[in-house]
Amino acid sequence: MPATASVLFVCVHNAGRSQMAAGFLGHLAGDRVEVRSAGSLPADRVNPAAVEAMSEVGIDIADQRPKVLTTEAVQGSDYVITMGCGDACPYFPGKEYLDWTLEDPAGQGIDAVRPIRDEIRTRVEALVAEIDAKRRQ
């Protein structure tokens, strides 16, 4: 694994789950990891409830914009983590593919988004530990 691992989070709209995951990873891993996120059908903006939920834990994702999933983003990533759109994600040998089954926060209020946020944080913390362990090998 290169000195800096790269992680791509992919969900359909790149407006909720993948944006929260990218926010957590950037916050928890800093410059040890290159963070990307994208969507198979990106929305116009990040879900306001996701922005609010992340703000509650001190992470600002308000300036993020949904991006379209590209083959280049997948090729350039060590880890590709899908969140409900695995079929739309191209496959390249040598990449670590993970599928995180998470409830979609689209159209939900802050009370419903908080547990999704917290589950994402738990998974990102485990991912950071895995990346750090591989780097030490």
Side-chain angles (χ1 to χ4, degrees), residues 47-50 52-53 104-116:
N47 180 337
E52 182 180 352
D104 189 350
Q108 299 197 52
I110 188 68
D111 290 336
V113 174
R114 285 184 186 115
I116 300 167

Side-chain angles (χ1 to χ4, degrees), residues 110-130:
I110 188 68
D111 290 336
V113 174
R114 285 184 186 115
I116 300 167
R117 173 203 64 202
D118 296 344
E119 175 65 20
I120 290 170
R121 180 181 191 120
T122 298
R123 290 176 187 228
V124 169
E125 288 170 341
L127 177 66
V128 170
E130 177 183 323

Side-chain angles (χ1 to χ4, degrees), residues 22-34:
F24 275 126
L25 184 57
H27 177 76
L28 295 169
D31 61 1
R32 297 191 322 268
V33 177
E34 181 182 356

Side-chain angles (χ1 to χ4, degrees), residues 4-137:
T4 302
S6 58
V7 177
L8 172 63
F9 294 104
V10 183
C11 67
V12 175
H13 299 297
N14 188 221
R17 296 166 290 187
S18 57
Q19 292 287 353
M20 289 190 286
F24 275 126
L25 184 57
H27 177 76
L28 295 169
D31 61 1
R32 297 191 322 268
V33 177
E34 181 182 356
V35 182
R36 299 179 174 113
S37 69
S40 52
L41 296 168
D44 294 331
R45 64 187 175 117
V46 174
N47 180 337
V51 172
E52 182 180 352
M54 293 299 286
S55 178
E56 290 177 351
V57 296
I59 300 172
D60 183 6
I61 62 169
D63 64 342
Q64 297 302 306
R65 299 289 170 256
K67 296 166 278 309
V68 69
L69 176 64
T70 65
T71 301
E72 294 77 22
V74 176
Q75 285 178 309
S77 300
D78 299 308
Y79 290 82
V80 179
I81 300 172
T82 58
M83 304 170 171
C85 66
D87 293 345
C89 197
Y91 178 82
F92 294 97
K95 308 295 177 195
E96 177 90 22
Y97 286 85
L98 303 170
D99 185 41
W100 291 357
T101 303
L102 297 160
E103 189 174 345
D104 189 350
Q108 299 197 52
I110 188 68
D111 290 336
V113 174
R114 285 184 186 115
I116 300 167
R117 173 203 64 202
D118 296 344
E119 175 65 20
I120 290 170
R121 180 181 191 120
T122 298
R123 290 176 187 228
V124 169
E125 288 170 341
L127 177 66
V128 170
E130 177 183 323
I131 291 169
D132 286 345
K134 283 185 177 180
R135 183 177 294 114
R136 288 189 294 268
Q137 292 178 352

